[in-house]
Amino acid sequence: MRSIKKLLACTVGAALGAVMITGCGSNSNGGGKSDTIKIGVFEPKTGENGSGGAQEELGIEYALSVRPTVTVDGKEYKVELDWQDNQSDKTVSATAAQKLIADGCVGVIGGYGSSTCIAAGTYFKDAQVPIIGTSCTNTNVTLGNDYYFRVCYLDPFQGTVLADWAIENDFKKIATIDNIGNEYTSGLVATFKKEFEAKGGTIVDAETFQTNESDFKAILTNIKNSGAQAVFAPTDYVYAPLLLNQSADLGLEVQWIAGDTWYNPVITKDAAKNAEGVVVDTFYAEGGNADFDKAFKEWLNADPKRLEANIGSDKIVGNQVMCYDAYMTLCDAIEASNSFKGSDIQAALKTINKQDAIGGAITFDENGDAKKNTTYICKITDGEFKFVEAVTHEE
Amino acid sequence: MSSSYFFQQLLNGLSIGGAYALIAIGYTMVYGILRMINFAHGDVFMMAGYFAIYAIAIFPWYIALPIAILGTIILGVVIEKIAYKPLRSAPRMSVMISAIGVAYLLENLANYLFTAMPQSYPQIDILKKVYNLGGISVSRVTILAPILTVVLTFALIELVNHSKLGMAMRACSKDQDTARIMGVKVDSVITMTFIIGCGLAAIGSILYFTDRNTVQPYSGALPGLKCFVAAVLGGIGSIPGAVIGGFIVGICQIVITAAGYSVFSDAFTFVLLVIILIVRPSGIFGENATDKV
């Protein structure tokens, strides 16, 4: 028995050693000696934002299938994606970021959820690895970080547009629900409140909850008691079915308004009839680019696994378009800089002018944010997100 | 504050308190017999949620729910046999660490098997029927939760005080070695304890998740900790104590959230734990055990 254990220990030890050696070997190749380069993907595969991250990954995977190589110095390099799971967790995000840097990624794409992006940002800045944010809308993601760019619009814009929409549609008394510790939700609630009150609306009740809460009955009873006509709840999508179903149990009948995260099939699936009438905004509404829609849907339908990751439908989520654009922008910047050096790619990103992006042309301002001023308002009707109007807001 | 608002919040508190009470019983019973905190209990409760989801996908609810309860019991017993039984003679701390390991294992297993995506808990019509009483809107499960909790608690107290199994349980909790000498099958008593604890956790999970609609791999972590606090508050080892503790924790949580301090609702539960440990470490109903040092 003892000898078997010894043998086992030796085998495991040898295997570990082998893994470490090969691991180091592939690292040194990442720099560009061979014919492949690595692009990192910084997304949550697990945790509260796991399904959002999985959907975004589809967008990146599709982009890779469309453009599998980049050309630098007249030589074609195969792109390899380096997937790291940040587990929707700020601490794990730091580890994931360090792993991506250690793997020698020339650039990174991601991710879903502002909190994790903010936590990881400084690592990329220090290592001079450019990263392009997909759907992290909080201002602080790119602020003061020269290596963080982003292709989506920002919270102040989103909150302002939704507040305008509420005023225009005659909702004067609104309750807000904020998730403490979630930069995305808090940012949106703050900008919404500012614009809404400036335009003459009243916030009758400001409720808060903590991450991972699943019992909203107390705060929903408060909202019912406050006489609000509408509720602004730009939470992560996991809370949406809980809020909607529990408010139906309590007989709370209000207009629900939320941000881009609620544009997610989980809501129509899990809240079913209780989700009817919910208003959200999104980065891209299907129909914006018919050729892209068609090709992407074909790609999704080609593999049941992709459909499953997309929550069983071939509906295009705005985030996926952002991911596609982020990947293409990064590849363009690599080719424009004609280099794999982080600082060169970053310089190229600063001056990029990408007119053919699917979700609207991309040029970055001094903070590294794409100059976008259009959002798409959608309403859940008959169990589907129906496009209502495109809203453009000029500062 | 209108009276309908007050009663609505009270009902919210009672329904969550009922579910907490059922889970807290599991902590308290295992502690009573093994003198260890079964930190995996909250995650067993979460797994019960998944079992119900998958059982209802196949069977009608009146078959599916017993299957889910049975599945949870089997899981609990298997955990005891694999993770706790081999450590019976080890220091108590080792068993506790093993329990924490099992808790993480279950969370990650759920993550792997069922994905991190929150899954919709089946809405059983018979439980979800909504009543409307003068401005108060309440689903049947909300009313059922506290009633069922009280009924089950009385049945359990009866069992512990007036049955042969109950006597064996009390004997084991007083002194395992002596009980063994007296011919009590300690191992099967411990198995029975896990069966009852996990069965109640499964019923608690049906009450809890029917009202809260979604299950995800970390659904059990926080309720588990809160129920642990409830058990300590009531006096760990005491069944009525766990139930009272469960209701206190549940109602406090709703009162604090309703008052607009949801930031502190979780923190309060743990402040409560600290206070009770300082002021009255044996809890409300706890026996004043004099440990031989």
Side-chain angles (χ1 to χ4, degrees):
Chain A
M1 189 64 199
R2 181 168 289 170
S3 65
I4 293 179
K5 269 190 184 164
K6 257 187 188 165
L7 187 72
L8 206 68
C10 288
T11 328
V12 171
L16 274 177
V19 168
M20 282 171 81
I21 290 163
T22 47
C24 293
S26 64
N27 275 356
S28 53
N29 282 347
K33 271 184 197 162
S34 71
D35 293 344
T36 59
I37 59 151
K38 275 189 181 170
I39 289 183
V41 181
F42 176 79
E43 289 281 0
K45 259 189 205 302
T46 53
E48 55 179 320
N49 287 331
S51 122
Q55 281 184 316
E56 292 211 343
E57 287 182 356
L58 288 172
I60 303 171
E61 226 182 306
Y62 173 66
L64 176 76
S65 75
V66 172
R67 187 173 182 175
T69 60
V70 290
T71 309
V72 169
D73 260 347
K75 188 178 170 197
E76 218 174 31
Y77 291 88
K78 204 168 160 295
V79 177
E80 194 181 293
L81 294 178
D82 185 354
W83 309 90
Q84 293 299 332
D85 178 10
N86 65 34
Q87 299 183 12
S88 322
D89 183 289
K90 292 181 197 174
T91 321
V92 181
S93 293
T95 322
Q98 285 162 331
K99 179 81 171 66
L100 287 169
I101 294 162
D103 283 353
C105 294
V106 295
V108 179
I109 294 164
Y112 189 102
S114 295
S115 304
T116 48
C117 295
I118 293 170
T122 48
Y123 296 96
F124 294 112
K125 182 185 171 190
D126 292 345
Q128 300 199 332
V129 174
I131 169 164
I132 304 187
T134 51
S135 65
C136 34
T137 47
N138 188 286
T139 319
N140 293 331
V141 173
T142 53
L143 207 63
N145 188 337
D146 293 338
Y147 280 81
Y148 221 128
F149 296 82
R150 105 177 95 195
V151 291
C152 59
Y153 49 63
L154 273 65
D155 287 343
F157 167 73
Q158 206 178 163
T160 310
V161 169
L162 288 168
D164 289 349
W165 184 89
I167 293 285
E168 274 163 31
N169 287 275
D170 243 10
F171 295 108
K172 293 280 154 60
K173 293 199 290 183
I174 286 190
T176 56
I177 298 180
D178 188 1
N179 177 1
I180 298 156
N182 184 313
E183 274 85 352
Y184 166 79
T185 307
S186 299
L188 262 176
V189 167
T191 51
F192 180 90
K193 181 169 182 269
K194 198 171 149 215
E195 173 79 4
F196 187 65
E197 287 182 336
K199 289 263 171 82
T202 322
I203 304 284
V204 288
D205 190 13
E207 293 292 339
T208 54
F209 70 92
Q210 291 203 310
T211 302
N212 284 334
E213 182 58 84
S214 63
D215 182 34
F216 296 102
K217 290 203 163 171
I219 63 171
L220 290 170
T221 306
N222 279 352
I223 290 173
K224 192 182 175 189
N225 202 39
S226 74
Q229 300 162 306
V231 179
F232 181 59
T235 64
D236 284 340
Y237 67 88
V238 279
Y239 304 109
L242 282 83
L243 285 167
L244 294 170
N245 288 339
Q246 288 178 23
S247 66
D249 285 353
L250 291 170
L252 173 67
E253 281 164 14
V254 288
Q255 170 68 53
W256 287 85
I257 306 168
D260 62 283
T261 46
W262 278 35
Y263 191 98
N264 192 307
V266 167
I267 291 161
T268 44
K269 188 168 145 264
D270 286 353
K273 64 177 194 311
N274 296 336
E276 285 295 303
V278 171
V279 164
V280 301
D281 73 318
T282 183
F283 305 112
Y284 173 84
E286 252 182 63
N289 183 323
D291 292 339
F292 173 84
D293 289 356
K294 189 164 163 281
F296 188 41
K297 276 172 191 280
E298 269 174 19
W299 181 83
L300 280 175
N301 283 312
D303 186 343
K305 272 198 186 139
R306 292 171 193 157
L307 279 177
E308 197 193 321
N310 206 30
I311 320 185
S313 82
D314 65 354
K315 294 263 167 347
I316 299 171
V317 183
N319 304 29
Q320 292 167 335
V321 177
M322 291 301 113
C323 289
Y324 181 89
D325 284 349
Y327 176 87
M328 292 303 171
T329 309
L330 182 60
C331 290
D332 279 5
I334 293 170
E335 290 187 350
S337 69
N338 215 12
S339 153
F340 292 126
K341 210 168 155 232
S343 50
D344 294 345
I345 300 170
Q346 182 235 16
L349 276 169
K350 278 188 164 172
T351 55
I352 211 156
N353 184 356
K354 190 161 172 59
Q355 289 298 324
D356 62 347
I358 307 297
I362 294 172
T363 51
F364 294 109
D365 65 12
E366 68 278 11
N367 285 329
D369 297 324
K371 293 175 193 153
K372 293 208 169 166
N373 57 10
T374 306
T375 186
Y376 302 86
I377 301 276
C378 294
K379 188 173 202 160
I380 299 178
T381 324
D382 300 326
E384 280 185 29
F385 290 92
K386 294 270 166 66
F387 172 65
V388 181
E389 57 185 322
V391 184
T392 305
H393 185 95
E394 299 291 348
E395 274 303 315
Chain B
M1 186 168 68
S2 66
S3 63
S4 70
Y5 168 74
F6 176 76
F7 280 110
Q8 182 95 61
Q9 294 289 28
L10 185 68
L11 273 173
N12 294 342
L14 284 176
S15 95
I16 195 167
Y20 282 171
L22 288 178
I23 308 167
I25 291 175
Y27 278 102
T28 233
M29 284 185 72
V30 169
Y31 182 84
I33 295 204
L34 285 180
R35 301 282 154 191
M36 64 87 94
I37 312 288
N38 181 12
F39 278 110
H41 198 59
D43 297 290
V44 169
F45 157 82
M46 170 272 295
M47 290 301 264
Y50 279 109
F51 290 152
I53 291 176
Y54 284 93
I56 282 188
I58 307 169
F59 303 105
W61 68 271
Y62 46 86
I63 302 175
L65 293 186
I67 290 180
I69 295 172
L70 196 69
T72 314
I73 289 174
I74 294 171
L75 177 70
V77 172
V78 168
I79 289 172
E80 197 273 319
K81 294 272 180 255
I82 294 175
Y84 306 152
K85 200 177 166 201
L87 296 170
R88 197 76 18 105
S89 56
R92 247 177 267 158
M93 192 53 81
S94 312
V95 194
M96 206 117 101
I97 293 166
S98 177
I100 295 171
V102 172
Y104 280 105
L105 175 73
L106 288 179
E107 279 170 17
N108 286 295
L109 198 66
N111 226 330
Y112 175 74
L113 291 176
F114 312 120
T115 75
M117 212 176 80
Q119 301 214 8
S120 178
Y121 198 79
Q123 302 294 300
I124 303 155
D125 289 338
I126 201 153
L127 288 176
K128 281 307 279 187
K129 192 175 159 33
V130 174
Y131 297 101
N132 241 316
L133 311 158
I136 307 174
S137 170
V138 59
S139 63
R140 196 177 274 169
V141 68
T142 308
I143 307 173
L144 192 66
I147 298 173
L148 194 62
T149 306
V150 172
V151 170
L152 286 171
T153 310
F154 274 107
L156 185 61
I157 292 173
E158 246 346 80
L159 177 89
V160 172
N161 287 338
H162 298 114
S163 76
K164 216 166 171 186
L165 173 69
M167 198 191 286
M169 280 178 170
R170 279 178 291 143
C172 285
S173 106
K174 277 270 182 282
D175 189 331
Q176 254 184 48
D177 294 329
T178 316
R180 205 189 302 269
I181 295 167
M182 293 299 172
V184 175
K185 291 195 180 96
V186 175
D187 280 333
S188 42
V189 170
I190 292 171
T191 309
M192 246 353 258
T193 310
F194 273 85
I195 289 177
I196 294 170
C198 294
L200 291 177
I203 295 171
S205 105
I206 295 168
L207 298 175
Y208 184 88
F209 288 122
T210 304
D211 243 6
R212 277 157 205 86
N213 318 101
T214 41
V215 185
Q216 43 129 339
Y218 302 101
S219 294
L222 197 57
L225 279 177
K226 283 185 177 170
C227 295
F228 164 63
V229 174
V232 173
L233 177 64
I236 194 143
S238 154
I239 293 169
V243 174
I244 303 284
F247 279 114
I248 291 177
V249 169
I251 290 172
C252 283
Q253 181 187 327
I254 294 290
V255 167
I256 290 170
T257 314
Y261 298 107
S262 64
V263 193
F264 303 112
S265 81
D266 291 345
F268 175 79
T269 312
F270 300 110
V271 169
L272 202 62
L273 176 68
V274 174
I275 292 174
I276 200 85
L277 287 177
I278 294 171
V279 178
R280 194 180 156 82
S282 53
I284 300 172
F285 287 84
E287 45 193 307
N288 264 321
T290 39
D291 265 332
K292 280 165 272 171
V293 187

